[in-house]
Amino acid sequence: MNLSGVLFFPVTPFDAGGALAEEVLAEHVRQGMEHGPGGVFAACGTGEFSALSESEHARAVRVAAEVVAGRVPVFAGAGGPLGAALNQARAAREAGADGLLLMPPYLAQGPGHGFEAYVRAVAEVLPVIIYQRGSVVLEPEAVVALAGLPGVIGLKDGVGDIDRMQRIVLAVRESYPDFLFFNGLPTAELTMPAYRGLGVELYSSAVFAFAPEIALAYLHGEERLLTEFYAPLVRLRGKVPGYPVSLVKAGVRLRGLDVGSVRPPLVEVSGEHLEELETLIKTGLERVAS
């Protein structure tokens, strides 16, 4: 599957009553598409996957797929209990998604071949990118086995163990040179110099959701943004659990689109931190324009 450039992870907008705001989501995706992302990942982590009902998830994916209209691949989040993951996968297929970002299973853990069976079942519905994070931390030989399953096309790393990732990349590419690897750490741009050293070029950009101009400038070589924008953003992100999502949603609102608040257990960005974010966005946009 052809994925390149900046990967867009839209937020999931809610209205004043807390319901899914489909028209706002459509506008959010339309605005993102104007900046040419390489793929759209709907109802994933930045889209508050864990807070969506199955019907909301299906509707969000459908909206994204309809707006994208085949111009780039659309992936949907899936995961948790196997039954829920399969329902999400089937609904995403019906909505027009091209693949799935597969989150870790819910709580219960089994041996490696148990996780392999979980992945195999979901990958029978749509192509799968496995998300390595939380309870899913894989050894190289396990990823080689998973890469050999029909429908498993990639691994997104949210752990950040560079030694482990180097061994995984080397082991998998011996047998599966077209297998996709992604940097999936929060604010991934900050760690991309390290991941590029491993041969990993793809990454998820939360910043693209609220400041695509900044995300694209970094992609095209404006490395001063690492010091002037991304490093301060990471410091701000680390002040409150859940800010990797809350800050993105606040950033979208600051740029003029009312996408509503986050759902519990996430919390809204405080007034002080909102001012910091607004200043950071202004600084980043000024650097892009200079």
Side-chain angles (χ1 to χ4, degrees):
M1 191 172 295
N2 184 25
L3 287 167
S4 61
V6 176
L7 305 178
F8 176 24
F9 285 67
V11 303
T12 300
F14 304 119
D15 63 22
L20 179 68
E22 294 185 32
E23 292 184 5
V24 181
L25 175 57
E27 179 59 24
H28 180 41
V29 176
R30 272 194 293 269
Q31 290 181 7
M33 288 300 295
E34 291 175 359
H35 295 271
V40 175
F41 286 68
C44 292
T46 304
E48 297 180 74
F49 164 80
S50 61
L52 300 177
S53 69
E54 287 185 10
S55 64
E56 288 174 327
H57 172 277
R59 285 155 50 206
V61 175
R62 184 175 297 280
V63 168
E66 287 176 351
V67 173
V68 172
R71 289 174 286 174
V72 297
V74 173
F75 280 73
L82 179 59
L86 290 171
N87 286 343
Q88 291 154 355
R90 293 172 187 135
R93 180 180 60 192
E94 292 173 6
D98 301 289
L100 304 167
L101 177 61
L102 187 59
M103 313 291 183
Y106 175 74
L107 287 182
Q109 294 185 40
H113 62 274
F115 179 66
E116 187 174 316
Y118 176 88
V119 173
R120 182 186 295 108
V122 180
E124 288 176 355
V125 182
L126 276 176
V128 159
I129 296 167
I130 298 165
Y131 199 172
Q132 174 170 250
R133 62 176 297 176
S135 61
V136 175
V137 181
L138 302 166
E139 293 297 330
E141 56 270 22
V143 183
V144 171
L146 290 165
L149 296 178
V152 177
I153 63 171
L155 177 75
K156 179 180 178 183
D157 179 49
V159 175
D161 184 333
I162 296 298
D163 175 85
R164 180 187 301 272
M165 273 303 294
Q166 181 66 90
R167 290 183 289 114
I168 287 173
V169 170
L170 291 174
V172 171
R173 285 188 172 157
E174 281 190 10
S175 301
Y176 305 101
D178 296 327
F179 193 76
L180 302 173
F181 290 101
F182 304 77
N183 174 1
L185 292 176
T187 321
E189 286 91 339
L190 190 67
T191 52
M192 274 311 295
Y195 276 81
R196 287 194 179 103
L198 306 179
V200 177
E201 295 291 339
L202 294 170
Y203 61 96
S204 54
S205 177
V207 170
F208 187 91
F210 65 89
E213 307 94 331
I214 296 173
L216 289 171
Y218 170 76
L219 177 71
H220 296 305
E222 183 50 88
E223 294 196 357
R224 288 175 295 181
L225 287 165
L226 290 177
T227 300
E228 298 174 14
F229 175 79
Y230 285 105
L233 180 62
V234 168
R235 287 195 293 271
L236 177 58
R237 188 197 74 205
K239 291 183 178 181
V240 177
Y243 264 18
V245 174
S246 299
L247 286 171
V248 176
K249 212 161 196 182
V252 177
R253 292 196 302 269
L254 286 171
R255 297 301 302 279
L257 188 63
D258 185 3
V259 291
S261 60
V262 292
R263 284 181 173 172
L266 301 180
V267 299
E268 286 303 304
V269 176
S270 70
E272 176 187 356
H273 294 159
L274 193 62
E275 290 180 5
E276 287 187 52
L277 178 62
E278 189 170 19
T279 299
L280 274 175
I281 294 173
K282 181 181 178 182
T283 299
L285 292 173
E286 288 174 349
R287 166 55 62 196
V288 170
S290 64

